Amino acid sequence: MAADPHHPETEVVLRARGLRKDFRGYSAVSDVNLDVRRGDIHALIGPNGAGKTTVFNLLTKFLAPTAGQILLDGVDVTRERPAALARRGLVRSFQISAVFSHLTVSQNIIVALQRSCVSPVAFWRGRRQLGDVTGRVEELLQQVDLVRFAKHRAGDLAYGRKRALELATTLAAEPKIMLLDEPTQGLGHEDIDRITALIKQSAIGRTVVMVEHNMKMVASIADRISVLRRGSIIAEGVYEDVSRDPEVIESYLGSKSRRERKR
């Protein structure tokens, strides 16, 4: 890929080169090259089975690559564990709701703050040693519009509010790069609009990489898009360019002749 004169090399914060992942002889991802620029919202999109989640799991080291290299701020992190990446500022969310349902919304955020502040060998040290986090909890609640739900059990929240709480717990780790896995999955239209606005606000001052299937949401929020098909990137750029790419159109909609036969 040719260098963009408007985005010099120093602006690339997360880079993948030649990423491949094989499962028992099957290549789920092959020769993926990816540059994520500092401050961008970068979306990974593609039809079902395209390899989006596999690439996402490789970038966050929840899967070890069969081949290739991952660089974070110019440092080779290909062999590092997920926890080490989190300490470097690369923090991810998950598709499946991952809140402590028996705790209140505020308590979930306190747990997330404690996770990022204490040693992994002494995880639970109590709020006295954590210090006064009231202000930070309030700030995160405001950021994701959950102030009025602070004392509610997380398990009682509507699904869209749970996703907002997950975003707050991700932000509690003070990520430099935030990786979001299908943030709008299972949400209704109103919740999608709310989460989209929250992600856009949360992206101020940090980099976001997200796997997403909702093209309307991607079009409204992504600075840059990488399109995958059969484990390889087939197009990359801004939405206006990518959406007109013939190979991308065929991947999502089928060939012209196939579409015409359906009419």
Side-chain angles (χ1 to χ4, degrees):
M1 184 174 63
D4 185 336
H6 300 294
H7 295 272
E9 290 291 304
T10 53
E11 287 193 18
V12 176
V13 63
L14 180 63
R15 168 170 288 160
R17 285 293 176 267
L19 274 191
R20 191 178 90 240
K21 182 61 181 177
D22 298 337
F23 295 100
R24 297 183 179 180
Y26 167 71
S27 290
V29 167
S30 57
D31 197 29
V32 164
N33 297 311
L34 182 70
D35 286 339
V36 177
R37 295 164 178 162
R38 194 180 309 277
D40 273 2
I41 298 177
H42 194 125
L44 303 178
I45 67 170
N48 291 336
K52 303 183 299 295
T53 298
T54 303
V55 170
F56 192 88
N57 286 332
L58 290 171
L59 293 175
T60 55
K61 298 310 307 300
F62 279 73
L63 284 175
T66 304
Q69 185 182 42
I70 301 168
L71 300 171
L72 179 61
D73 270 329
V75 177
D76 189 336
V77 296
T78 311
R79 303 303 168 197
E80 291 197 5
R81 295 180 179 273
L85 288 186
R87 287 192 289 272
R88 289 184 181 274
L90 190 150
V91 181
R92 69 168 290 174
S93 71
F94 296 86
Q95 283 187 23
I96 301 171
S97 181
V99 300
F100 295 106
S101 59
H102 62 290
L103 299 180
T104 67
V105 169
S106 288
Q107 287 169 339
N108 267 272
I109 296 177
I110 290 168
V111 169
L113 289 169
Q114 186 161 9
R115 180 181 60 196
S116 64
C117 292
V118 303
S119 165
V121 298
F123 172 71
W124 194 272
R125 290 189 174 180
R127 289 186 63 179
R128 179 175 299 176
Q129 287 172 289
L130 182 61
D132 185 6
V133 295
T134 305
R136 182 60 178 145
V137 171
E138 179 76 15
E139 179 184 340
L140 287 165
L141 288 173
Q142 289 179 349
Q143 197 164 349
V144 298
D145 194 26
L146 287 177
V147 172
R148 64 185 182 278
F149 299 98
K151 296 182 179 180
H152 290 223
R153 286 180 67 255
D156 295 335
L157 294 177
Y159 185 68
R161 299 293 182 186
K162 286 181 183 176
R163 299 297 280 184
L165 176 56
E166 289 165 10
L167 182 58
T169 59
T170 303
L171 291 170
E174 298 289 349
K176 296 176 183 176
I177 307 176
M178 187 164 59
L179 293 104
L180 305 177
D181 194 4
E182 298 276 13
T184 68
Q185 185 180 44
L187 299 181
H189 293 300
E190 183 178 338
D191 284 331
I192 287 174
D193 291 342
R194 180 184 298 116
I195 291 296
T196 300
L198 292 177
I199 292 171
K200 195 167 185 177
Q201 177 185 349
S202 302
I204 297 172
R206 58 174 55 90
T207 306
V208 175
V209 181
M210 64 179 184
V211 171
E212 184 52 59
H213 65 281
N214 187 307
M215 293 305 296
K216 181 180 177 182
M217 184 266 204
V218 168
S220 70
I221 199 173
D223 297 298
R224 195 164 182 84
I225 298 167
S226 296
V227 186
L228 287 105
R229 184 175 71 172
R230 299 173 186 170
S232 299
I233 292 178
I234 60 171
E236 190 169 82
V238 297
Y239 179 80
E240 290 77 11
D241 294 338
V242 166
S243 62
R244 291 195 294 264
D245 186 289
E247 197 171 359
V248 173
I249 294 170
E250 183 172 349
S251 295
Y252 274 96
L253 302 176
S255 67
K256 181 178 179 182
S257 59
R258 286 169 55 193
R259 293 199 305 273
E260 287 175 344
R261 286 198 297 269
K262 291 179 181 180
R263 291 175 180 172

